[in-house]
Amino acid sequence: MFKNGANGDNARRVIEPMHGWSFLRLHELWEYRELALVLAGRDISVRYKQTIFGAAWAIIQPVALMVVFSVFFHRWAGIPSEGVPYPIFNYAAMLPWQYFSSALSNAAGGLLRNANVFTKVYFPRLILPVSSVLPPLVDLAIALLVLLLMMEIYDILPTWRLVVIPVLIVVTMINALGLGIWFSALSVEYRDISYIFPFLMQFMMFASPVVYSSKMVPWKWQPLYALNPLVGIIDGFRWCLFGHYGVPINEICISFAVGVVLLVSGIIYFQRMERTFADVV
């Protein structure tokens, strides 16, 4: 926490650890917004450095998974796709999932990756997970262009519903950041998180309607299933693209509410633990 000098200016500041459950300090994040952009730009510039295919990996990964899932889950297992060609049905879900998983992984490891920085220089540590959810937006934008190309190939015309996709991306970002802040704070003290995380991501993917339709879940389990924030997000993406059933407004609102709870509680926990990061990292 900063304190101004006795004459009221900012020339002299005293840095003190936070006490108790201090609330959010969003103004401090805003003051360091340029640092967040610099860190995000650095991550983007080195993201595909020294790779053969470069930014093409943003396309290769979801397309390769789409092909594998189409063979195993649609052709062999016979999972239906609501009358939509399965490849594009699956790819439409892969986009928010890929962004969510990448943003969450980046945010969860943000503190440990930058331990040599934040132990030497003061800035709000929360900047690290916040800046980590921005670079995967580049991959998402590239993958969206491929999706539009696939819609042309499958003769699916875009509609006005596409304007809702940015809203769904924001909801996805809130959820990824909320969980990422929780995991980043926990991973500093409990290194078990790095071992649990890959298993958790696999579980979350199959617990979300990525390779199947959420309509396949029995009706009595739907309220509980909707608490998974990715259900409303993925159903919302498919509604924007195909629109063959009603807008899943309830599921989207639940996803947003869950994201806000994760984000606010994550920030509070992060700031409570922040004073010990430099000692235990």
Side-chain angles (χ1 to χ4, degrees):
M1 178 176 64
F2 285 125
K3 285 185 176 180
N4 290 336
N7 56 359
D9 56 30
N10 291 328
R12 180 184 175 194
R13 289 184 169 182
V14 178
I15 303 174
E16 295 181 349
M18 299 300 298
H19 299 285
W21 292 90
S22 302
F23 194 67
L24 299 187
R25 290 162 33 209
L26 296 181
H27 65 284
E28 196 176 38
L29 280 179
W30 180 250
E31 291 177 1
Y32 284 85
R33 60 188 181 280
E34 292 184 1
L35 176 60
L37 295 176
V38 169
L39 292 173
R42 180 201 64 179
D43 290 345
I44 292 172
S45 65
V46 303
R47 189 172 182 81
Y48 297 113
K49 196 173 184 180
Q50 293 184 324
T51 62
I52 295 176
F53 296 105
W57 280 111
I59 301 173
I60 294 172
Q61 288 179 329
V63 169
L65 286 174
M66 176 196 70
V67 172
V68 172
F69 290 156
S70 296
V71 172
F72 282 90
F73 291 100
H74 182 60
R75 185 175 295 274
W76 291 357
I79 290 179
S81 55
E82 301 178 352
V84 178
Y86 188 86
I88 195 168
F89 174 83
N90 175 248
Y91 191 81
M94 288 299 300
L95 297 191
W97 166 253
Q98 286 280 354
Y99 171 73
F100 176 82
S101 62
S102 297
L104 176 55
S105 299
N106 289 351
L111 280 175
L112 295 181
R113 285 198 311 273
N114 295 280
N116 60 336
V117 177
F118 76 78
T119 54
K120 297 181 175 66
V121 182
Y122 177 80
F123 56 88
R125 277 45 171 169
L126 199 56
I127 285 290
L128 295 172
V130 169
S131 64
S132 298
V133 301
L134 299 178
L137 287 173
V138 177
D139 292 352
L140 178 60
I142 296 172
L144 275 171
L145 294 178
V146 176
L147 176 63
L148 294 176
L149 177 61
M150 291 179 64
M151 292 176 68
E152 175 69 22
I153 294 172
Y154 284 100
D155 199 22
I156 298 175
L157 296 178
T159 68
W160 63 270
R161 291 187 294 268
L162 289 179
V163 301
V164 182
I165 285 183
V167 177
L168 297 172
I169 292 174
V170 171
V171 176
T172 311
M173 181 184 293
I174 291 173
N175 279 278
L177 181 58
L179 271 177
I181 289 173
W182 269 104
F183 280 117
S184 64
L186 289 170
S187 63
V188 172
E189 189 161 358
Y190 306 103
R191 302 303 169 90
D192 310 70
I193 298 297
S194 61
Y195 297 99
I196 297 173
F197 198 79
F199 168 76
L200 178 65
M201 296 306 295
Q202 292 295 321
F203 174 79
M204 287 190 69
M205 189 184 77
F206 288 106
S208 306
V210 175
V211 299
Y212 56 87
S213 168
S214 63
K215 303 298 184 293
M216 294 180 65
V217 176
W219 179 253
K220 65 179 181 180
W221 295 109
Q222 287 284 344
L224 180 63
Y225 187 58
L227 292 177
N228 177 352
L230 287 166
V231 172
I233 293 168
I234 292 174
D235 280 354
F237 260 77
R238 284 173 173 156
W239 173 79
C240 291
L241 297 168
F242 314 129
H244 52 282
Y245 51 77
V247 53
I249 187 65
N250 292 335
E251 290 84 353
I252 294 174
C253 289
I254 292 173
S255 299
F256 177 73
V258 170
V260 170
V261 171
L262 287 172
L263 182 61
V264 174
S265 61
I267 291 175
I268 294 173
Y269 177 73
F270 186 99
Q271 291 178 342
R272 177 172 172 76
M273 302 301 296
E274 185 177 3
R275 57 185 174 182
T276 65
F277 286 163
D279 297 325
V280 299
V281 70

